[in-house]
Amino acid sequence: MTSVLYDAPGPRAKRRNVLFSVVFFVLLALLLWWIWQTMDEKNQLEWALWKPFTTSEAWTTYLLPGLADTLKAAALSMVIALPLGAVLGIARMSDHRWVRIPSGAVVEFFRAIPVLLLMLFANEFYVRSTGIPSDERPLYAVVTGLVLYNASVLAEIVRAGILSLPKGQSEAAMAIGLRKSQTMSSILLPQAVTAMLPAIVSQLVVIVKDTALGGVMLGFTELLNTRSTLAANYANVIPSFIVVAVIFIILNFILTSFASWLERRLRRSKRSTGAVLGADKVDDVNAAEVGGTYGTGAGGSI
Amino acid sequence: MFDFLSDYDNPTLLGAFWVTVQLTVFSAVGSLIWGTLLAAMRVSPVPLMRGFGTAYVNLVRNIPLTVIIVFTSLGLANIFGVTMGTEDLKDRAFRLAVLGLVAYTAAFVCEAIRSGINTVPVGQAEAARAIGLSFSQVLRLVVLPQAFRSVIGPLANVLIALTKNTTVAAAIGVAEAALLMKEMIENEAQTLLIGAIFAFGFVVLTLPTGLFLGWLSKRLAVKR
């Protein structure tokens, strides 16, 4: 393997690599053995603790309803945040200062605030000012928090998507006499949406992960929350954490794989402009082309 | 209007934000160290190390931070008896939160650093070797200076996200800003005012960091 850091290995380097491999393997094996040993010592490996996961009851009573709520909150947030984000993103590029500045302020403000604060605030707001029944309130609060934060992140993705298009696209549209709104809606936006798709799918991972906040702080019955009911019932804290973590990993892994598959496919297709925004590209675009902003870990990141 | 603030003295408003800052600083230092080690593994010529690095990053990145933080408290502390070297419950929660934040954030730090190394074209190293520089000279004079300068931006994003993520520590009872806000907002009538105070606090914490590091990364960027 040749990289910036290493040349193709010669005989000595090959021997050294083998030595490193062996040492690292031993260390890793020791670590795993130690974890196994500790688990055994604390009786976490007993079959009785893992057995519930082979029965349908644990899944139908606890895990699947929790997963359903997680997905419901994530899907709702995405569906609401996307149009809102598109509007904010386009408004931020407006020629009119009185549209551009307020929407810019909104986007920067909600990106700077932790989602948890938004959720807590929304929850309390719904308690005092609306008649939403208390069993539905956590869902509303979680979705509100996620929408406010992710709409502003998506606004940045939309803006980055539009800025990533070749300048000739809007120049040609102007040359054939399209109005600004026509240029945006029939030339720029369709291309930008295609370019943004991978970044948008990656943003779903962030949303799925953030739903877990509502489970601990607001009593929203998502996966992490139903895990604690499950663990209280079967007294299997460690196994329940491992199973829930694995579910999240699989779910998010499917989403990230889908995003990168989409990115590859879009890059290949002949009809696109070649501008594709991967999850990791959004912040680069922000830094390079979108002056005066700072990324807050949009897309793929935290 | 701000009278109610004097009712809260354990912690005070500033005290809670001070805990947030401490969480951020300790986790930032820890995750920078662990993340750099992970990045070194991911770009190393040893396949096993690369595999471990890749597996760690991909697994940890896909688990919600909340799950990790709650696990440190319910799993590590309660079941495995990890006390983090202190009997004091408050200190223990704080250290467990730092542990969780480091484990999670390191995955993102690793990716940022690795992407920085990847931005350096292979031709640079080849040219450096061609004029007879040794491995350490290539690394010191050619590769690392370019790599470090290109990761300031991504690392700034990670730092800002980390600052906001410290609020998750409220889930295991660390007395930081989010926990105090939850308490205040439930007890006091001025929901909007309290929300604005805490929002302002976080804007104050993240905005200067973002602007400064963003300016720095633009200034130091290697133009290609």
Side-chain angles (χ1 to χ4, degrees):
Chain A
M1 177 191 109
T2 324
S3 77
V4 182
L5 298 176
Y6 305 99
D7 209 349
R12 262 179 66 195
K14 270 183 188 154
R15 255 183 316 207
R16 207 174 47 222
N17 286 351
V18 170
L19 184 72
F20 280 144
S21 301
V22 171
V23 171
F24 189 73
F25 177 78
V26 171
L27 287 177
L28 202 60
L30 273 177
L31 178 73
L32 288 178
W33 181 76
W34 178 72
I35 292 175
W36 187 262
Q37 201 66 9
T38 322
M39 295 256 290
D40 199 25
E41 223 169 82
K42 306 283 178 187
N43 300 322
Q44 293 300 317
L45 294 176
E46 277 170 32
W47 177 237
L49 299 185
W50 295 85
K51 194 166 171 279
F53 298 109
T54 60
T55 63
S56 66
E57 194 206 346
W59 291 92
T60 52
T61 323
Y62 304 103
L63 295 174
L64 290 181
L67 182 62
D69 266 5
T70 294
L71 293 177
K72 190 161 87 182
L76 270 175
S77 314
M78 196 67 184
V79 169
I80 303 172
L82 202 53
L84 200 61
V87 169
L88 279 173
I90 293 170
R92 223 190 149 172
M93 298 195 306
S94 162
D95 288 340
H96 308 287
R97 196 181 295 166
W98 55 273
V99 177
R100 192 172 62 224
I101 291 175
S103 53
V106 167
V107 168
E108 291 300 327
F109 178 74
F110 285 116
R111 261 163 32 120
I113 297 173
V115 192
L116 179 58
L117 294 197
L118 295 174
M119 285 183 191
L120 289 173
F121 182 80
N123 192 43
E124 202 57 31
F125 178 78
Y126 288 141
V127 171
R128 293 183 188 213
S129 312
T130 59
I132 299 169
S134 60
D135 55 330
E136 284 173 29
R137 201 190 305 125
L139 175 68
Y140 278 74
V142 167
V143 171
T144 310
L146 287 176
V147 163
L148 289 178
Y149 175 70
N150 289 290
S152 45
V153 172
L154 287 167
E156 286 302 276
I157 297 181
V158 169
R159 200 155 71 104
I162 290 174
L163 287 177
S164 74
L165 296 174
K167 231 182 161 176
Q169 296 286 334
S170 49
E171 282 168 0
M174 265 186 275
I176 58 170
L178 293 186
R179 270 182 275 116
K180 269 191 304 189
S181 58
Q182 286 174 318
T183 311
M184 185 57 80
S185 62
S186 39
I187 309 284
L188 296 181
L189 210 51
Q191 295 186 69
V193 166
T194 329
M196 285 159 356
L197 270 179
I200 291 173
V201 176
S202 309
Q203 193 58 28
L204 257 176
V205 173
V206 180
I207 297 181
V208 167
K209 288 197 293 186
D210 279 348
T211 55
L213 277 173
V216 195
M217 301 299 286
L218 305 176
F220 177 47
T221 52
E222 50 71 67
L223 198 49
L224 182 60
N225 191 339
T226 50
R227 179 217 66 81
S228 70
T229 345
L230 180 143
N233 194 24
Y234 296 109
N236 56 353
V237 175
I238 302 290
S240 69
F241 264 110
I242 294 177
V243 169
V244 163
V246 168
I247 296 175
F248 270 116
I249 290 171
I250 294 174
L251 184 65
N252 290 333
F253 187 73
I254 293 171
L255 286 173
T256 29
S257 316
F258 178 62
S260 55
W261 173 82
L262 207 60
E263 195 180 334
R264 272 201 311 277
R265 200 189 137 93
L266 290 176
R267 244 182 243 294
R268 258 201 336 253
S269 78
K270 291 199 184 85
R271 286 178 55 204
S272 83
T273 51
V276 178
L277 285 180
D280 49 330
K281 293 288 180 300
V282 175
D283 284 329
D284 298 350
V285 175
N286 278 352
E289 290 184 56
V290 186
T293 60
Y294 62 92
T296 37
S301 153
I302 307 200
Chain B
M1 190 172 151
F2 291 100
D3 301 340
F4 67 91
L5 282 179
S6 55
D7 298 343
Y8 296 87
D9 48 6
N10 192 30
T12 57
L13 180 67
L14 282 179
F17 269 106
W18 176 234
V19 175
T20 298
V21 172
Q22 281 177 311
L23 272 177
T24 311
V25 171
F26 283 119
S27 314
V29 172
S31 52
L32 200 60
I33 296 170
W34 179 220
T36 312
L37 280 174
L38 280 172
M41 285 187 206
R42 284 205 76 172
V43 296
S44 84
V46 182
L48 195 64
M49 286 185 179
R50 281 208 304 275
F52 174 78
T54 315
Y56 182 92
V57 168
N58 281 328
L59 291 183
V60 172
R61 227 176 14 171
N62 284 328
I63 305 176
L65 176 63
T66 323
V67 174
I68 295 176
I69 298 260
V70 174
F71 174 78
T72 60
S73 177
L74 297 183
L76 286 184
N78 292 357
I79 304 281
F80 290 129
V82 177
T83 55
M84 299 299 285
T86 173
E87 290 305 314
D88 185 48
L89 285 180
K90 263 184 146 174
D91 281 354
R92 198 179 75 181
F94 180 86
R95 293 181 194 182
L96 286 170
V98 171
L99 183 72
L101 284 165
V102 167
Y104 180 78
T105 315
F108 296 91
V109 171
C110 166
E111 286 305 89
I113 292 180
R114 193 174 66 101
S115 73
I117 293 173
N118 284 342
T119 57
V120 183
V122 183
Q124 296 270 336
E126 286 168 354
R129 275 195 293 270
I131 59 169
L133 297 187
S134 71
F135 176 74
S136 74
Q137 281 174 318
V138 175
L139 211 59
R140 232 162 5 100
L141 302 174
V142 180
V143 177
L144 286 186
Q146 298 187 45
F148 275 133
R149 285 161 65 169
S150 65
V151 293
I152 296 173
L155 279 184
N157 292 337
V158 175
L159 180 63
I160 287 164
L162 171 65
T163 312
K164 297 190 294 171
N165 279 341
T166 54
T167 52
V168 181
I172 59 170
V174 178
E176 47 69 74
L179 198 68
L180 184 65
M181 170 170 158
K182 187 177 158 72
E183 194 189 326
M184 278 189 184
I185 215 168
E186 278 166 7
N187 297 337
E188 308 293 334
Q190 294 118 311
T191 318
L192 204 61
L193 179 66
I194 296 170
I197 291 174
F198 281 91
F200 177 73
F202 273 95
V203 172
V204 166
L205 285 183
T206 56
L207 204 62
T209 321
L211 289 178
F212 172 69
L213 290 174
W215 169 80
L216 198 67
S217 77
K218 242 179 243 172
R219 213 186 120 92
L220 296 180
V222 184
K223 300 277 183 293
R224 292 209 173 85

